[in-house]
Every structure is written in structure tokens, then in C-alpha cells.
């Protein structure tokens, strides 16, 4: 069964259209289950009907010709209840209904299963048979498994179909395909999609019309010639290692690309109008699939050769193509996975948005995108990369959504929001010069989070009063080896000087989780519960000591450094780290560097640290709450997983109770406590966090002005009333609603769009 499923999924994945996908499903399911009929009905949301979309065994002329309501027929029964229905005599069921001309008369046994994707009913799959018999439990389980597996593929194919429609077709309202992912950088971006692939990847090449067939054909021939030369070179290089027989294999290898074989097929497709990359990818993938299905293992392995050859040719085609790309003035970068080099591919003044299939809100490239202030949505699992290039896209970086080919009304709405954002930016500009004050004049220290050089520039523009979190790992992530002590010293010196005399809180290397150094890979099955943050650096004192020495030396003559330890779960980690820092301090003093010992802080990011907040506060100099991780670990919700993003509730009462507990522990020990997770820069959260008693809020530079404006609308007594009103609330939506109301009453609802953390 697994083999049948695997093939089915592979074939459906490769289908060019929803129609093809459905045809494959009905044919293969009927064959696998040895039934007389297999049919798929799909849910058409505007008409609220289950449309007869594909069949093997019933009258195919009826495909697309009729639909059933949810209260009609056995199919409606399955759809309404979202559960399977297994009958030996379908016509005896009270909800049974004949459809004229469908050809169901001979069939008695009926088994239907709903197709559900992320709680959404997509349709119903039905098998039928002449015999009067109930389908076995095994058959029922098989159909349920098939439908669960296919749901994602159908959703994907439906979306691809919607994207291919013209934007102003009669299906206007459906034509805006909406996709959801993780909101990685707030803002609205409207532009034309451009796909950038870091490595040649046959799977992600879009199909596209050749602008000039002759040019494409020439490019293909040149790429082929280059690959031939490469392979001959490889063969020559291995002359001493391989015998003549083995070397003959390279000849076979090269023959694959001959005109009489795959090369000829690619050329024919180009002549038919497809661009070279598309033609290559289609032909190669078809043959790879063919080889992969071979029974004989030797032949199956040829798939690897074909893929390798195809990838090599594609690499040359893309290199040739890359120089010619002329990106539109407003370009939305779409990629399978963002890398710093893909980000650098598109000129900054043309880049208006970023969308990627993989990645999480805090991957290093996203941090980079955020520093550049480009709206971004990542982790869009259903992203149909092949269909997107040249389509118009709206990136809603506030809500983690993208819209493909939006219809006129939707587009106008987002253009309006973009214009509002620009106006707001202008309106708030003067606030950059001022401190954050409550309506009754209390000063609220707003600090900034930094990581890359662009952050420093923006932080200065927006008037930050200190750095609450300098993510030192970002500069480690952007290299191909560990930076030396001197390289680090210079980087840290720049940070300290840029903000001097304001404090700069440098976090020691926080890698692991979703932050992997290319030159120090950490392979773990559960990385967020694995070797992360201080656990890594205490196991590698050489890394920790080098970093701390660089920080201390950078601080000479400035004295605005604070050191912060990430992912602390036990008091011992603080003690050992402090001992190492003391050792470094003695060393640098003995070397003649006169830097003082900086304050040492602990990040509160895991539940254990919440319960240990009091002793940690007593032994450390300050605390800083990493609410991104704290929320993840308290709620057991992966912060980078789009599928559970709805459960990642920063206003969950458990999170809020933890925050209050931490503040109390810090203040009872007469230590200051700041918050540096995304929550601090959320306009909905900031008044609450101030009311709770945080001593500083540290956020991205782009949030500073908005938060100043929001805080200026509350007096301190209003803030304490607000927090006592929220304390008894039992769910995140209740808290969010109360905060929304508080903002709306002060005319601040237009800032709510920037509150992406609800
Ligand atoms: C946090 O976890 O809230 C935090 C600030 O650290 P990071 O996002 O870098 O993990
Ligand atoms: Mg963290």
C-alpha cells in the first residue's frame, strides 16, 4: 500500500494542472482498490456545491456539469459530517439521490471519504462497486489515508489553477489566490514576482514562453557544450584512478545528452515555444521519474545521473540568464529558501517584498530582510514556485499572507494600505528626535535590537536610547568561518561607538535551533530542544572565551558594554559563564587593556528560567526576557512552524502571567528587567508591558516611532487600570480584544495592523 501511495503522490505532484491531478487520482485509486468506480467531487466555495470533477467508471460527460448541495446525496452526507460512509446498498440510504445520466445504476456498494486540508473541506472521494458488500476495514483505511495525503496536493493544485486564471476573469473573486505563511517582516509590498534560485534546481524551474526560440536553442546548445567539456575534464582527471572500462561510463553518460536522446527532446520542446530552462526541466524530470520507477536497481540509479546532468546544464543556463535579468521596478523576490546571495540578487531599490517556501521568522536572512525593512512572508508551504514568476503579488507582511493576481478591489485596498503606511511614516518622522513619554510625562526607555550594520543606521535615524539586544550570531552567520578575535573586536567596537554613551547589550553567541552556522553544522532531530545558545558555547569555551575577550577589548575607554547570556536554564550556566568572563577580564587586564567588568545579564526564555527568575536575578546584574522563545517553550509551539502559527499566542494568559512573575522576581532583587522579543515592538503589547513594569522595551528600529506614539496616548494610571482589567482574563482572544478596544478608544486603531503578534 505504501508503494502505491508513494507513486500516486509522486505522479500527482508532477501533474501540470488540477484536472490532470484529479484524473491521475481517480485512475490510480480505482486500480489500487480494484473497484468499478472512483470519483472526486470538489467543494466550490462561491456556490457552496460539491462539483463532480473527475471519474473513472461513471459518465465522464457529466464532469463539471453538475454539483450537489451539502444536503444532497451521499456525497453531501460525507461532506457535512466530514466522516467516511461505507454502505453495501447505497440506494437504501435515506439521503441517497439519483443523478440523471450519471450511470450509477449498476453500483451498490459505496465508500466515500472527505478530503480535508487544514480544517478546510476540499471535497469528497468516492469508490463504488457492483457487488452488494461492505468495503473491508482495510479498504476504508486505505481510502482515508489516500484522501489525507492527497488533500495537500489538491490544495496546491487548486491554488496553481487559480493563479493561472486571468485576474479579471468572470471568476473575479476567486482569482486572487491567497497563501499563508509566517509574517517575517511587517509592511505591504506590491510588485511583480521574480524567482531566484540559489542553486540550479530542476524542480523549481517555471514554465515560460520563450521570448526568442533561436536564442533559447542557442543557449541550450552552449550549455550542453560546457557540460560536455566539464565531464570530459572529470574523466581525464580520473584517468589514473579508473580503468578504461569504468571510463567508458562517461561516454554513456554523455550520450544521454545526445540529440537522438534527451537532448533532442529538449530541443524539440524549445522549438515548440518553451524557454530553454523550462524545456530542460520538464524533459529531465520526466526521465528521472521514469528511471526511478524501474524495478532494476542499476537502472533506478541512472535517475541520479540524469538528475546530475540536468542540474549541470541548468546551472550553465541560469548563469547565462542571470546576467541578462532586468528586474521590474517593483520586484517581489520569491525563493524556495532565502539565502544572503539570493537577497543580494535584486537591486535594493527594486526590491519591495520577499516570499519564501521555507524559513522561519528568525532565520538569519529574515533578520537581514528585517534590517533592510522589506516586507516578508516566509514558510509558505504551498507556494507554487513554478507559477509565480511575472505574476503580480501582494505581500502582506503584517498578517503573513500573499495574494497572487489580486482582483482590482483587493489590489486597491492594499494600495490604500501602502499609501497609509507611507503617510504614517512621514507623520511619525518628528518623533525620532524625542524620547518616549506617557501622556502624564513619564519617561519610558525604548531600546533597539541590532544584528547587522543596517540596523545601526536605522536605529540612529529612529532615535534609540540604547541597544537592548545585539544579536552577535548574525555576523557569525554571514561568514564562512568563525570570525577571529580581532575581527570580532572591530565589529563590537563599531556597535559600542555608534551608541556611546548609551548602553549596548551584547548577547553571546546564540546558535542552534533554527540558526545554524554553515561552517559549524548541528544536525539534530529536535534542534529547539537541543544544543542551543549557552549550551553550545559552554561546551566550546574556546568560542566563548574568544568572543568575550573581543567584547571586553572593544569596550576599552567606552564602558557602555553589557553582556547577555541566551537560553539559560540553570543557575550553574550563569555561574560557569561568569567564571569564564572573570577569567577573560583578568587576562585582558594583564595584557594592559583597562576595560571595566561589564554588567552581566540573563535571558529569560524558557519555563525553567521563569521559575528560577529570583535566584537568577539575585546572581546576575539584570534580566532580559526573550519573549519569542519564551512563548514557544511555554506553549510548546514551534515559533517557525506555519502550521501551528495560530497557536503561537503571545497574549496567552500563561505568557502574561510568566512575564509578571519575572518582573516581580527582578524588582524584588532590585535588578532591572527588559524585554527584547518581538512583543516589545508590538503596538498592542507595548502599553501592557509598560504597565506590567518592564524597565526597558527593546525592539526593531522600525517600531520605535509607532511605540512612542502609542505610549503617548496613555497616562500611568490608565496603564495600571488596563493591566488589572486584563489580569483575570482567561484566553488570548479576550486579552487581544480588550487591548484593541483600549487602542481604538484613543484613535490608535490604525496602528493595529502593525500588531502582528496576536
Ligand atoms: C527571543 O527569543 O525573544 C529573542 C529575543 O531571541 P531570538 O529571537 O534571537 O531567539
Ligand atoms: Mg531567543
Amino acid at each position: 500500500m505504501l508503494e502505491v501511495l508513494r507513486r500516486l503522490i509522486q505522479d500527482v505532484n508532477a501533474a501540470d494542472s488540477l484536472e490532470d491531478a484529479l484524473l491521475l487520482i481517480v485512475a490510480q485509486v480505482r486500480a489500487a482498490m480494484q473497484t468499478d468506480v472512483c470519483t472526486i467531487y470538489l467543494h466550490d466555495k462561491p456556490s457552496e456545491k460539491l462539483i463532480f470533477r473527475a471519474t473513472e467508471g461513471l459518465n465522464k460527460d457529466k464532469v463539471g456539469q453538475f454539483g450537489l448541495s451539502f444536503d444532497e446525496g451521499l456525497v453531501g452526507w460525507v461532506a457535512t459530517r466530514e466522516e467516511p460512509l461505507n454502505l453495501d446498498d447505497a440506494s437504501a440510504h435515506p439521503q441517497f439521490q439519483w443523478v440523471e445520466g450519471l450511470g450509477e445504476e449498476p453500483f451498490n456498494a459505496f465508500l466515500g471519504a472527505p478530503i480535508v486540508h487544514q480544517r478546510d473541506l476540499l471535497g469528497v472521494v468516492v469508490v463504488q462497486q457492483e457487488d452488494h458488500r461492505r468495503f473491508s476495514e482495510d479498504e476504508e483505511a486505505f481510502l482515508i489515508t489516500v484522501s489525507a495525503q492527497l488533500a495537500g496536493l489538491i490544495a496546491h493544485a487548486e491554488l496553481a489553477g487559480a493563479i493561472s486564471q486571468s485576474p479579471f476573469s468572470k471568476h473575479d473573486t476567486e482569482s486572487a489566490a491567497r497563501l499563508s505563511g509566517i509574517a517575517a517582516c511587517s509592511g505591504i509590498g506590491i510588485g511583480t514576482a521574480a524567482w531566484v534560485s540559489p542553486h540550479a534546481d530542476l524542480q523549481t524551474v517555471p514554465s515560460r514562453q520563450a521570448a526568442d526560440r533561436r536564442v533559447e536553442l542557442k543557449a541550450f546548445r552552449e550549455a550542453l557544450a560546457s557540460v560536455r567539456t566539464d565531464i570530459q575534464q572529470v574523466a581525464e582527471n580520473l584517468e589514473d584512478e579508473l580503468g578504461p572500462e569504468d571510463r567508458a561510463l562517461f561516454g554513456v553518460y554523455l550520450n544521454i545528452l545526445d540529440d537522438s536522446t534527451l537532448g533532442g527532446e529538449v530541443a524539440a520542446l524549445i522549438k515548440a515555444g518553451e524557454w530553454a530552462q523550462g524545456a530542460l526541466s520538464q524533459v529531465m524530470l520526466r526521465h528521472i521519474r521514469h528511471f526511478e520507477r524501474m524495478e532494476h536497481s542499476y537502472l533506478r540509479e541512472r535517475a541520479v545521473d540524469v538528475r546530475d546532468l540536468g542540474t549541470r546544464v541548468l546551472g550553465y543556463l541560469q548563469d547565462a540568464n542571470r546576467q541578462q535579468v532586468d528586474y521590474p521596478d517593483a520586484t517581489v523576490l520569491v525563493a524556495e529558501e532565502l539565502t544572503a546571495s539570493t537577497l543580494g540578487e535584486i537591486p535594493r531599490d527594486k526590491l519591495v517584498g520577499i516570499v519564501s517556501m521555507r524559513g522561519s521568522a528568525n532565520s538569519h536572512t529574515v533578520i537581514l530582510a528585517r534590517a533592510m525593512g522589506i516586507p516578508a512572508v516566509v514558510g509558505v508551504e504551498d507556494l507554487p514556485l513554478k507559477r509565480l514568476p511575472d505574476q503580480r503579488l501582494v505581500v502582506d507582511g503584517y498578517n503573513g499572507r500573499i495574494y497572487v493576481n489580486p482582483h482590482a478591489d483587493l489590489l486597491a485596498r492594499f494600495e490604500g494600505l501602502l499609501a497609509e503606511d507611507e503617510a504614517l511614516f512621514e507623520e511619525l518622522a518628528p518623533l525620532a528626535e524625542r524620547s518616549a513619554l506617557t501622556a502624564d510625562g513619564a519617561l519610558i526607555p525604548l531600546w533597539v535590537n541590532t544584528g547587522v550594520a543596517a540596523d545601526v543606521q536605522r536605529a540612529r535615524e529612529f532615535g534609540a536610547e540604547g541597544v537592548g539586544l545585539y544579536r552577535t550570531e548574525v555576523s557569525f552567520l554571514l561568514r564562512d568561518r568563525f570570525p577571529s578575535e580581532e575581527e570580532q573586536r572591530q565589529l563590537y567596537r563599531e556597535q559600542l561607538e555608534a551608541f556611546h554613551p548609551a548602553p549596548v547589550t551584547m548577547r553571546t553567541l546564540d546558535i542552534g535551533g533554527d540558526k545554524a552556522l554553515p561552517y559549524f553544522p548541528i544536525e539534530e532531530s529536535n534542534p529547539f530542544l537541543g544544543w542551543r545558545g549557552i549550551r553550545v558555547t559552554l561546551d566550546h569555551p574556546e568560542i566563548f572565551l574568544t568572543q568575550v575577550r573581543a567584547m571586553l577589548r572593544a569596550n576599552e575607554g567606552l564602558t557602555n558594554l553589557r553582556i547577555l547570556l541566551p537560553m539559560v536554564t540553570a543557575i550553574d550556566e550563569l555561574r560557569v559563564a561568569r567564571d569564564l568572563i572573570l577569567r577573560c577580564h583578568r587576562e585582558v587586564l594583564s595584557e594592559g587593556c583597562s576595560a571595566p567588568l561589564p554588567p552581566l545579564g540573563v535571558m529569560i526564555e524558557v519555563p525553567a528560567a521563569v521559575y528560577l527568575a529570583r535566584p537568577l536575578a539575585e546572581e546576575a546584574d539584570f534580566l532580559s526576557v526573550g519573549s519569542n522563545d519564551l512563548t514557544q517553550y511555554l506553549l510548546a509551539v514551534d515559533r517557525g512552524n506555519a502550521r501551528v502559527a495560530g497557536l503561537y499566542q503571545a497574549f496567552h494568559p500563561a505568557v502574561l502571567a510568566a512575564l509578571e512573575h519575572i518582573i516581580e522576581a527582578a524588582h524584588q532583587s532590585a535588578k532591572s528587567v527588559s524585554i527584547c522579543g518581538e512583543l516589545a515592538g508590538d503596538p498592542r503589547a507595548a502599553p501592557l508591558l509598560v504597565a506590567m513594569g518592564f524597565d526597558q522595551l527593546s525592539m526593531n528600529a522600525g517600531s520605535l516611532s509607532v511605540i512612542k506614539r502609542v505610549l503617548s496616548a496613555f497616562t500611568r494610571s490608565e496603564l495600571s487600570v488596563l493591566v488589572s482589567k486584563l489580569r483575570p482574563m482567561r484566553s488570548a482572544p479576550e486579552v487581544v480584544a480588550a487591548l484593541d478596544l483600549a487602542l481604538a478608544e484613543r484613535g490608535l486603531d490604525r496602528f493595529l495592523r502593525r500588531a502582528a503578534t496576536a
Side-chain angles (χ1 to χ4, degrees):
M1 171 176 150
L2 278 179
E3 182 53 27
V4 173
L5 255 179
R6 197 180 60 80
R7 279 197 186 163
L8 179 56
I9 289 165
Q10 220 173 38
D11 289 349
V12 173
N13 241 333
D16 283 336
S17 66
L18 177 61
E19 254 49 57
D20 287 355
L22 298 178
L23 284 175
L24 275 166
I25 298 170
V26 289
Q28 294 199 24
V29 170
R30 186 172 84 146
M33 294 184 70
Q34 297 177 347
T35 58
D36 298 322
V37 177
C38 179
T39 305
I40 289 185
Y41 293 80
L42 285 192
H43 181 195
D44 177 55
K45 289 196 181 128
S47 66
E48 272 303 306
K49 293 256 175 173
L50 297 153
I51 310 288
F52 181 71
R53 286 295 292 270
T55 188
E56 242 349 293
L58 298 182
N59 182 0
K60 291 189 177 167
D61 293 343
K62 286 277 186 188
V63 167
Q65 298 302 309
F66 78 95
L68 298 166
S69 310
F70 276 56
D71 55 2
E72 284 181 320
L74 303 180
V75 170
W77 192 98
V78 173
T80 308
R81 287 169 182 72
E82 297 192 359
E83 62 180 349
L85 180 62
N86 187 353
L87 302 169
D88 56 357
D89 181 4
S91 59
H93 191 280
Q95 204 173 310
F96 179 80
Q97 186 174 318
W98 284 115
V99 176
E100 193 65 36
L102 193 57
E104 278 187 305
E105 292 79 353
F107 307 113
N108 294 298
F110 173 103
L111 173 61
I115 306 170
V116 183
H117 179 60
Q118 293 174 352
R119 298 192 185 183
D120 207 13
L121 180 93
L122 299 183
V124 174
V125 54
V126 177
V127 290
Q128 289 169 281
Q129 204 153 23
E130 263 189 63
D131 309 354
H132 265 287
R133 66 156 186 122
R134 257 177 85 85
F135 285 91
S136 71
E137 280 201 9
D138 277 357
E139 288 169 316
E140 190 173 323
F142 178 79
L143 194 67
I144 291 172
T145 313
V146 167
S147 93
Q149 288 275 351
L150 292 176
L153 300 179
I154 292 178
H156 191 87
E158 266 194 331
L159 205 83
I163 290 166
S164 324
Q165 286 181 19
S166 96
F168 304 110
S169 70
K170 61 183 171 22
H171 303 293
D172 210 8
T173 48
E174 299 163 62
S175 62
R178 190 179 82 181
L179 295 150
S180 297
I182 302 166
C185 181
S186 60
I188 305 284
I190 303 174
T192 309
W195 166 74
V196 177
S197 156
H199 309 292
D201 181 355
L202 292 166
Q203 300 282 357
T204 55
V205 176
S207 175
R208 190 183 282 167
Q209 282 290 315
D212 182 332
R213 294 175 204 197
R214 266 185 313 174
V215 171
E216 293 294 311
L217 204 55
K218 184 160 169 282
F220 174 59
R221 300 240 183 265
E222 282 169 6
L224 269 192
S226 307
V227 171
R228 272 176 202 289
T229 315
D230 287 352
I231 296 203
Q232 272 149 5
Q233 187 64 49
V234 173
E236 272 170 40
N237 293 348
L238 294 176
E239 206 163 42
D240 295 339
E241 275 81 10
L242 301 175
E245 253 172 65
D246 294 329
R247 262 186 283 134
L249 268 181
F250 286 103
V252 177
Y253 208 62
L254 285 176
N255 285 344
I256 296 179
L257 296 176
D258 265 0
D259 263 0
S260 57
T261 54
L262 305 199
E265 285 183 45
V266 177
L269 256 187
I270 298 174
K271 286 178 194 156
E274 179 72 24
W275 70 319
Q277 292 188 34
L280 177 78
S281 139
Q282 287 164 29
V283 170
M284 290 308 197
L285 289 178
R286 198 167 62 238
H287 284 274
I288 292 166
R289 276 198 297 278
H290 177 69
F291 278 115
E292 279 174 347
R293 281 204 218 127
M294 301 265 185
E295 297 299 333
H296 198 291
S297 66
Y298 173 80
L299 290 173
R300 256 203 323 269
E301 278 159 24
R302 299 286 64 76
V304 179
D305 298 338
V306 177
R307 187 183 295 280
D308 178 50
L309 278 172
T311 307
R312 282 169 183 269
V313 180
L314 183 62
Y316 275 106
L317 283 174
Q318 288 182 343
D319 282 349
N321 223 266
R322 212 155 266 180
Q323 286 129 34
Q324 300 164 11
V325 177
D326 193 9
Y327 292 105
D329 283 346
T331 299
V332 175
L333 163 68
V334 296
E336 187 171 353
E337 182 133 37
L338 278 180
T339 63
S341 61
T342 46
L343 203 56
E345 193 84 29
I346 299 171
R348 173 66 191 94
D349 58 338
K350 294 189 170 183
L351 188 58
V352 298
I354 295 172
V355 181
S356 77
M357 247 172 120
R358 287 185 232 301
S360 62
N362 294 294
S363 63
H364 69 280
T365 334
V366 169
I367 290 171
L368 209 63
R370 217 178 280 147
M372 291 159 79
I374 304 166
V377 178
V378 299
V380 189
E381 285 183 3
D382 288 330
L383 197 66
L385 274 176
K386 289 190 181 190
R387 309 265 175 167
L388 288 181
D390 306 327
Q391 310 282 345
R392 185 184 272 279
L393 286 194
V394 170
V395 181
D396 176 357
Y398 293 115
N399 298 300
R401 302 228 169 98
I402 62 166
Y403 299 84
V404 187
N405 281 339
H407 57 77
D409 292 350
L410 196 70
L411 187 62
R413 182 150 66 81
F414 279 105
E415 280 168 347
L417 291 177
L418 189 60
E420 261 176 44
D421 274 3
E422 279 159 5
L424 191 65
F425 190 77
E426 294 291 312
E427 180 192 322
L428 297 179
L431 289 180
E433 311 278 305
R434 298 183 216 145
S435 300
L437 296 173
T438 56
D440 56 334
L443 185 71
I444 311 292
L446 296 192
W447 290 7
V448 75
N449 296 346
T450 59
V452 290
D455 285 327
V456 176
Q457 177 62 25
R458 274 163 62 83
R460 282 206 181 131
E461 275 169 31
F462 292 108
E465 293 176 22
V467 177
L469 173 66
Y470 169 49
R471 290 181 164 101
T472 58
E473 63 275 6
V474 178
S475 48
F476 282 63
L477 289 162
L478 300 175
R479 279 159 204 264
D480 55 8
R481 57 168 176 77
F482 281 109
S484 68
E485 181 179 321
E486 180 52 22
E487 282 171 328
Q488 291 187 53
R489 190 197 67 80
Q490 284 175 18
L491 275 172
Y492 304 157
R493 182 81 187 176
E494 280 165 24
Q495 282 281 323
L496 293 168
E497 276 176 346
F499 294 95
H500 187 262
V504 174
T505 313
M506 295 197 179
R507 178 169 72 182
T508 60
L509 191 63
D510 185 15
I511 52 169
D514 64 344
K515 289 181 267 193
L517 300 177
Y519 46 90
F520 189 71
I522 302 173
E523 299 287 337
E524 290 177 320
S525 55
N526 211 343
F528 276 114
L529 298 184
W531 210 37
R532 267 202 82 181
I534 193 144
R535 300 171 183 182
V536 179
T537 46
L538 289 187
D539 284 352
H540 275 279
E542 77 286 10
I543 300 175
F544 188 77
L545 292 168
T546 308
Q547 182 170 43
V548 172
R549 280 179 53 89
M551 288 179 180
L552 296 178
R553 288 178 51 219
N555 194 29
E556 189 177 16
L558 296 173
T559 72
N560 55 339
L561 168 70
R562 309 190 329 153
I563 296 182
L564 182 60
L565 305 173
M567 272 295 287
V568 170
T569 50
I571 202 93
D572 256 3
E573 291 167 333
L574 167 62
R575 290 177 183 163
V576 174
R578 184 188 286 286
D579 285 348
L580 290 173
I581 293 171
L582 286 171
R583 193 174 117 190
C584 288
H585 189 236
R586 281 194 302 272
E587 273 172 25
V588 297
L589 285 184
S590 72
E591 290 162 15
C593 167
S594 62
L597 191 66
L600 179 62
V602 168
M603 285 198 81
I604 308 292
E605 313 189 81
V606 293
V610 175
Y611 289 108
L612 275 185
R614 185 70 199 264
L616 287 169
E618 279 166 9
E619 296 197 22
D621 300 310
F622 64 94
L623 299 184
S624 180
V625 176
S627 54
N628 305 338
D629 276 316
L630 186 58
T631 307
Q632 145 165 285
Y633 291 121
L634 272 178
L635 304 182
V637 177
D638 179 346
R639 66 194 254 187
N641 182 344
R643 203 173 288 170
V644 286
L647 298 174
Y648 185 93
Q649 297 176 332
F651 293 93
H652 192 291
V655 176
L656 303 183
L659 296 182
E660 292 215 87
H661 175 80
I662 300 163
I663 296 167
E664 193 183 323
H667 289 170
Q668 279 172 350
S669 318
K671 302 287 165 62
S672 73
V673 54
S674 61
I675 177 163
C676 60
E678 293 306 308
L679 199 59
D682 184 324
R684 190 185 271 139
L688 176 62
L689 299 173
V690 170
M692 283 177 169
F694 277 108
D695 299 299
Q696 302 95 16
L697 309 186
S698 188
M699 61 197 71
N700 294 318
S703 304
L704 286 166
S705 302
V706 171
I707 300 301
K708 285 181 191 174
R709 173 73 189 84
V710 170
L711 292 179
S712 71
F714 290 84
T715 62
R716 271 171 298 175
S717 61
E718 284 170 339
L719 287 173
S720 17
V721 172
L722 183 67
V723 77
S724 28
K725 206 160 96 191
L726 298 181
R727 213 168 269 134
M729 291 187 174
R730 295 183 175 187
S731 75
E734 269 181 272
V735 175
V736 168
L739 289 169
D740 285 359
L741 184 66
L743 260 63
E745 282 169 354
R746 291 163 178 80
L748 300 171
D749 29 348
R750 63 207 172 108
F751 296 108
L752 284 176
R753 197 149 38 82
R754 296 185 164 266
T757 52

